Amino acid sequence: MVVGLFFTAVAAIGLIRMPDVYTRAHATSKADTLGTVLTLAGVAVAFQAGVPRVKLLLLALFMLITSPTATHAITRAAYDQGIEPWTADEEGDG
């Protein structure tokens, strides 16, 4: 569970530090999904076998499917809106 919290913290830092929507989505989707799944796995280990463990595993599976899909939809919508990706050339402009 501590490892999951670490990855969630990395996702939060990536959300703050990255320059545009695409890199923010990249940083948060991967690290946050892994952090959430690892946290849920840690909680599932803490429970005894039974219905709560099955629910946590189903929730982890749901997160594995929906989080990358939502991130893809958000970045696709940003691209369709004409939001340009950040490039290294723009660093001196801002």
Side-chain angles (χ1 to χ4, degrees):
M1 189 159 56
V2 174
V3 177
L5 294 174
F6 169 76
F7 279 104
T8 303
V10 168
I13 292 169
L15 183 65
I16 294 169
R17 298 278 302 168
M18 294 297 152
D20 70 344
V21 66
Y22 302 107
T23 54
R24 288 179 181 162
H26 178 77
T28 57
S29 69
K30 294 184 183 303
D32 192 44
T33 302
L34 183 61
T36 302
V37 169
L38 288 175
T39 302
L40 289 173
V43 172
V45 169
F47 280 112
Q48 295 179 356
V51 174
R53 185 178 280 181
V54 172
K55 287 181 179 178
L56 286 169
L57 293 177
L58 288 174
L59 185 58
L61 179 65
F62 179 77
M63 291 301 297
L64 277 174
I65 294 170
T66 59
S67 184
T69 305
T71 302
H72 177 77
I74 290 169
T75 54
R76 181 68 183 191
Y79 182 78
D80 289 344
Q81 292 293 317
I83 297 174
E84 296 291 325
W86 177 83
T87 60
D89 297 337
E90 297 175 6
E91 188 170 338
D93 294 340

